[in-house]
Structures are given as structure tokens and as C-alpha cells.
Amino acid sequence: MQRCAGRPRQDWENIILTDGLVYSPTRTPNGSIMQYWKESAFYSVPMDEVLMLERAAAEIFEMFIAAGDHIVEHPEIMIKMGIPEYAWPQVIKTWNDEPACQSVYGRYDIRFGGLDHPDPAMRVPKVYEFNADTPTCLLESAWVQWNWLEHTGQGTDQWNSMLERLTQAWTRNLGLIEQRLGHRPVVHFACSSEEESGEDVLNTWYLRDACEDAGYQTKGIFMESIVLGEDGRFYDNEGDHLDVIFKLYPWEYMVNEPYGEACFLDMERIGLRDEDGAYIGGTVWIEPPYKMLWSNKGVLAVLWELFGHTEQAKYLIPTWFDGEQPAGLTDYVRKPLLGREGGNVVIYRGGEAIVEVPGDYGEEGFVVQEFAPLPEFPDPAGDTSVHPVLGIWMIDGDPAGLAIRESEGFVTDNLSFFVPHSIPDNDVATFTQQEPVRRYEPPMPAGISRVTVATFR
Amino acid sequence: MSGFNKAPRIVTAAAVGISMSGVLSACSLGSNDDVYCVDKDNVVVDEDLCDDSRGGGGGGYFFLIGAFGGGIGPGTRLDGSRGQRISSTDRAARSAAGLPASGKVSNGTKSSKGFGKGSTDNKGGWGGSKSGGG
């Protein structure tokens, strides 16, 4: 794996807006604007590394399945993870559904420095966490970085079969859900109205687009507009029942919100019809409640307990629930069970806290993870180094694509950059060179209002 | 292991464009809106007048829902074009707007919020962005 100097496309800021990346311009704490998308560099990942990472991701997925099985057999672990007891029956029920039918995606965050990295520890991929409930950077991974490759030709291929696999995932999952419901559903797509950069809307939109490609009718809604009817069932604000709803919104928020308990009660009635055949049953939520088992960092402690003494420990970073770590640990990271973008992460070296990220997380508890720093790649643009984290997308349970984000520090926070990648050594280029499309004249519109003008080609 | 080389095209830009605006218009209510009991001239009145569970709660009083801010008392006239107005006796409309189907709603209450960042018992803040994703 190499970090290469990139040739930015002329007026790339306009091109990525056209691609829908309306949330690339980001306001920094000191008030200036930085672009989250970076194409002054790119990562070159040879095919042998891609194939190895793909195999590793599939093995890691099997380990997460074993961890889920273990937690479901020992539900008291869910107490340690901060999952409220009223949610357990549906967490367990959706976990045990066979065949699985309520999940389309998730993203692993992986540490990997290349098969030829000078440090042997960096030549084996290690999983930091599984963003299993609400992963983002989908648009960048599936669409924007592919366009970058087609426009610039900086590589022969890319680990990216995202759209095709997402469409297949919708077809397979919704086909099974249709049988359970007894009718072909309209699929609602929801995110929070309070996310102002447009990131949530655009990521939700991409999934919605793939769902329509699979032949389903869809409707968009904000989470804040969902109505709980007097009958205990959920509706949009036009009175349509939510038969199936995809949500880019975390379960760990929902279970603590006013509709949380009603939502889980409603799930128990999925499939009910009245004597006239009308559907009177509950709502099917995608991603399903069992994703709370995987998106919670406590699962990493379960994984270490199950696999720490096996050959597959190579994929793991030693992790314990806070308070259960071995005595004498001096280099470690304390992370909230339910945190985002590095919030409330503390890095300890020699027993001293050297990095503390502010935030509002940690109420449910913490895990302690051995310090496993990201690999360092020099930044030709400056004197600093950057630290890339690899995001491996799992679509319907299969590895489907790669996303790389880099940051100056060791914590990948919301000021990190998305950097495209390519595969340099396919025999034949697998794409056709394309001319970029630019839709905007400066000044570019700001904030979520960009969503009203961005379109996909 | 197949297809690192699949071209991930999104087709039908026109259709996507149309339905994107559909997302935004359907989502125009419910995020941070305040509820007031008003008369036919959109003047704020005592919230008891919109309580349809009181005998005789007849027509003539409405809920006006919009981003007016909290703490507005009776006598103030609100700009009806900034909000949605529903009859206080229309149970279906009340429900659809995120209000209790019947009964008293205090002036200045926030609408809906069964789910969402504005609902009670929520964590505040993200340490950076307000994204639901990560």
C-alpha cells in the first residue's frame, strides 16, 4: 500500500458537489472552511492486498457472528453494554431470524499498513470497531471515488462493487420481508432533520436510490416527523403506515426516546392482517435491533474473550470492559461503549493521558483497548505525517468496497479527510475515462440547502 | 471476490432530482416547531380553548404550528404563513401533526419528537457534528 501524490482535477470542489458530496466543505473550530474530500493524494492498494483484506473481512465477519451468538446466549452481557432490557426480546428475535432479512450494510474500521510495511504488526489487518448500525461515507466510497478514478485515470481499478451489491441486498432482503408482511411494501427512508451539513440526507439518499433500482417504491421522511398512532403503530406525517423503514439514526438514541418502548412493542406484531386482509401489523426496521450488539464497542471485549487465545487473535486488538483489564496496563485507549467520531476517547501512554477528545459520550460505560496506533504515511504536502484508517464495507454480509480516511492525529475524528484509492496492477483498466461534470457557478450554496440542488448523474 | 471493477452508476438523475425535493418538502414540519392555540385571526389565546375534551370545545380555535419560539402569551398575533394550522377538534389532523389526538396542549409546546434529536432524554451534542451516522 502506498500513499501517492494526486493530480487534483481542475475545479474539483465543483465536481464533488455535483456528485452529491455537499458536506465536504466543513467549518473548523476556528471558523475557517476545510474540505473533507482530499484528492491531492490517493492510496494505491495492490491487488494482492485487496484480496487478502477481502478474505480477512469475511473471517472477521464470522467472528462477529460468533460474538453475537455468545451475547444472545448470555444476555446479561447486554447489561454491561447498556442495552435496555425491554429491547432484548427483539434484539434476540431479529438475531435469530433465519434467513437474515433486515440488514443491508455495515463498515469495519481497520488498521493496516501494507503487506510490505516495515513493522510486521502492520502487515495484518486489525479491527478497531464495526460501524454496524449507522455507517456513513457511503456516497464517497461508492460513487465519488469511482468518478475520481474515471476522471483522472490514476490507477487501473478500485475495490468498489458497492452499488451493484446494495441493489442486490435490497432485492434479497425486501423479497423476504415481503413474504413476512404479505404484501409488497413501500420503503420509507429516514434520517435526522437536525444534521445540517447534508451528510445524513445524502447517505440515506444513496441507499434509497439503490432500493429504487431494485424496483421498490420509496418515501423520504425525517425521524422527527414519525407519528405514533393511537393504535400503537407508526406512520409518516401524511398518514401512511411505515411498513418497512430504513433509518440512518442510531438504535441507542431511539431506545432512550419517547417512542422507544412503543417501537419495540410494535415489532412483536409484524405480519398481522385483519379479517379483510388489510395489514394491521408492525414496522420492520432496517438496520435491525440486533445491530446494537455489534455497533457497541463492548462487542470487542466479547471478541477478545472468545478469540484472544486463538489464531484469529491476529485480527483483534485486546479489549476489555472498563474495570476488567489486566493490572499493569500502561499504554491503552479508553473509549465509550457508544461513541462517535472519537468523542470522549482518551489515549494513555505510560499510564498518563496524552490525548483527550472532548464530547458527551460515556454514560453507558467504557471499554479499554490496548494502544494500537494507526500506521504513519508521510504527507508530501507538508512536514507532517498522516494516519489512514481503512473502512471495509460489508454489504449484505459480504465485503464490497474500501474507504480510506486519514487524519493528522491518531484519532479519526470529524476533521479527518476522505482520500480515494485505486488498484494499480490490474492487467487491464476496468473503467472508461469520463469527462467530469460541473453544475455550479461560484459561490457554492452552503449547508443543507445544497441538498436541494445536488443531483446524481 | 468478483467485480472490483463494477461501474457504480446511479441512473435516472431526473427521477432522483424530483424525489429529492420530495424528501425535503415532506420533512418541512416537525423538527423544531412550537404549538400555539390561536383564534381565527391567528391571535394566541388561552390553551384551554383548544382543549376539545372540555364540553362544547367547538369550532373557531386552532393549533398553529411553526418555528415561532417559546413563551408567547395570549394576545399576540402570529404570522400564519410561517406555520401549519389545524382545527383543535380534528383528531386525525392533531395526530398527524404529532400532537395528542385529544385534550389540552400547552402553548409553546414543541410538536412531535417521538424520535429525534429534539426529544427529551436525548444525549446532547456529538463532540463535533450532529450526524446520526459514524
Side-chain angles (χ1 to χ4, degrees):
Chain A
M1 184 168 122
Q2 302 281 331
R3 188 177 187 274
C4 306
R7 290 184 311 270
R9 295 163 288 179
Q10 188 206 346
D11 202 19
W12 59 271
E13 295 94 331
N14 193 335
I15 298 170
I16 62 172
L17 278 185
T18 305
D19 285 345
L21 201 55
V22 300
Y23 47 95
S24 178
T26 310
R27 191 164 290 280
T28 62
N30 69 14
S32 59
I33 301 281
M34 64 157 248
Q35 290 280 357
Y36 149 77
W37 171 270
K38 180 189 286 188
E39 60 182 73
S40 54
F42 67 94
Y43 285 88
S44 186
V45 188
M47 189 60 95
D48 61 345
E49 291 186 356
V50 170
L51 292 172
M52 183 277 296
L53 287 169
E54 193 189 35
R55 281 192 302 270
E59 278 190 60
I60 290 168
F61 191 68
E62 292 301 312
M63 294 162 73
F64 270 82
I65 291 176
D69 282 339
H70 181 81
I71 299 170
V72 156
E73 284 156 28
H74 303 90
E76 65 279 7
I77 298 174
M78 287 196 261
I79 300 175
K80 281 162 54 167
M81 295 171 84
I83 299 173
E85 206 163 328
Y86 78 79
W88 294 6
Q90 285 298 320
V91 166
I92 295 169
K93 156 109 187 23
T94 53
W95 177 260
N96 286 328
D97 273 346
E98 197 57 52
C101 66
Q102 268 176 255
S103 168
V104 295
Y105 77 156
R107 192 195 77 235
Y108 288 119
D109 283 347
I110 298 282
R111 178 186 95 156
F112 178 69
L115 287 173
D116 54 356
H117 197 277
D119 179 354
M122 294 287 188
R123 300 179 199 154
V124 182
K126 286 187 182 293
V127 59
Y128 281 119
E129 64 170 320
F130 192 10
N131 292 288
D133 186 23
T134 58
T136 53
C137 82
L138 184 63
L139 182 68
E140 301 88 299
S141 305
W143 179 238
V144 187
Q145 68 174 353
W146 182 260
N147 286 338
W148 165 86
L149 180 64
E150 285 193 331
H151 297 159
T152 66
Q154 293 175 107
T156 61
D157 200 352
Q158 189 176 83
W159 187 3
N160 185 350
S161 50
M162 305 276 299
L163 180 63
E164 180 185 311
R165 286 182 187 265
L166 272 172
T167 310
Q168 290 166 357
W170 284 119
T171 302
R172 190 190 75 79
N173 282 276
L174 290 171
L176 289 165
I177 289 170
E178 203 171 316
Q179 288 172 33
R180 179 177 295 181
L181 292 178
H183 65 275
R184 189 173 182 84
V186 170
V187 187
H188 282 80
F189 282 79
C191 60
S192 175
S193 66
E194 305 221 359
E195 202 287 305
E196 289 173 355
S197 76
E199 175 175 20
D200 284 12
V201 173
L202 266 299
N203 274 273
T204 305
W205 196 267
Y206 191 84
L207 285 151
R208 180 175 172 179
D209 207 64
C211 187
E212 294 202 338
D213 277 0
Y216 286 85
Q217 213 185 321
T218 68
K219 277 187 88 173
I221 189 174
F222 285 140
M223 292 298 294
E224 291 79 5
S225 302
I226 291 173
V227 176
L228 174 61
E230 284 184 10
D231 56 0
R233 304 171 75 222
F234 290 93
Y235 300 84
D236 67 20
N237 53 359
E238 291 177 342
D240 289 338
H241 181 254
L242 304 181
D243 289 348
V244 181
I245 181 167
F246 169 87
K247 57 163 189 69
L248 180 60
Y249 194 79
W251 278 118
E252 70 242 28
Y253 285 13
M254 292 167 70
V255 294
N256 290 316
E257 287 171 0
Y259 285 175
E261 293 194 46
C263 177
F264 280 77
L265 281 174
D266 173 73
M267 283 182 218
E268 293 173 14
R269 299 183 293 255
I270 288 168
L272 286 182
R273 308 195 87 88
D274 66 14
E275 52 276 4
D276 298 320
Y279 186 68
I280 53 167
T283 298
V284 177
W285 292 85
I286 295 174
E287 299 286 312
Y290 76 71
K291 287 302 188 84
M292 282 194 273
L293 301 178
W294 283 348
S295 57
N296 186 307
K297 291 191 181 61
V299 73
L300 303 169
V302 175
L303 282 166
W304 186 248
E305 188 188 320
L306 294 177
F307 294 101
H309 302 291
T310 73
E311 206 232 316
Q312 283 152 311
K314 64 186 177 184
Y315 296 132
L316 302 176
I317 301 167
T319 308
W320 305 267
F321 285 101
D322 195 15
E324 297 179 10
Q325 65 268 30
L329 202 62
T330 57
D331 290 0
Y332 58 95
V333 186
R334 193 164 172 263
K335 301 183 180 181
L337 288 172
L338 301 168
R340 266 180 185 74
E341 294 176 332
N344 298 92
V345 168
V346 183
I347 301 180
Y348 294 82
R349 306 298 302 275
E352 299 283 320
I354 60 156
V355 172
E356 290 190 60
V357 182
D360 295 314
Y361 301 105
E363 200 183 303
E364 288 83 8
F366 296 82
V367 292
V368 165
Q369 193 173 64
E370 239 180 47
F371 182 59
L374 288 166
E376 205 169 280
F377 282 72
D379 183 357
D383 298 325
T384 57
S385 304
V386 292
H387 301 91
V389 62
L390 270 55
I392 298 181
W393 284 98
M394 303 295 289
I395 306 293
D396 211 9
D398 290 319
L402 177 65
I404 303 182
R405 287 157 302 144
E406 65 179 29
S407 53
E408 279 190 19
F410 283 113
V411 180
T412 308
D413 56 20
N414 66 331
L415 295 179
S416 305
F417 300 95
F418 190 101
V419 180
H421 78 275
S422 62
I423 298 169
D425 55 349
N426 241 10
D427 291 336
V428 178
T430 55
F431 59 91
T432 312
Q433 196 102 7
Q434 301 285 335
E435 274 306 301
V437 175
R438 302 165 175 80
R439 291 195 195 283
Y440 306 105
E441 297 301 323
M444 313 296 181
I448 199 169
S449 63
R450 286 186 173 108
V451 177
T452 63
V453 294
T455 56
F456 300 130
R457 274 182 284 161
Chain B
M1 291 246 294
S2 66
F4 300 118
N5 57 347
K6 301 297 184 195
R9 295 271 171 209
I10 304 180
V11 295
T12 66
V16 171
I18 289 166
S19 41
M20 268 182 118
S21 58
V23 169
L24 297 169
S25 64
C27 300
S28 56
L29 283 180
S31 66
N32 263 314
D33 291 334
D34 309 287
V35 184
Y36 286 95
C37 183
V38 299
D39 65 14
K40 61 178 173 48
D41 298 317
N42 293 327
V43 175
V44 178
V45 297
D46 192 288
E47 56 224 8
D48 284 342
L49 291 170
C50 286
D51 182 354
D52 62 332
S53 64
R54 297 166 65 245
Y61 296 102
F62 308 88
F63 289 112
L64 189 61
I65 306 167
F68 300 112
I72 299 173
T76 301
R77 186 175 185 146
L78 299 177
D79 179 356
S81 68
R82 286 176 52 206
Q84 178 203 30
R85 195 166 90 167
I86 59 173
S87 165
S88 62
T89 56
D90 185 342
R91 294 169 65 98
R94 288 173 60 141
S95 240
L99 298 178
S102 175
K104 185 161 96 170
V105 179
S106 301
N107 280 330
T109 302
K110 292 286 184 187
S111 69
S112 195
K113 305 294 183 14
F115 293 125
K117 288 293 288 172
S119 58
T120 56
D121 304 323
N122 239 334
K123 299 184 207 309
W126 290 91
S129 75
K130 295 186 210 169
S131 175

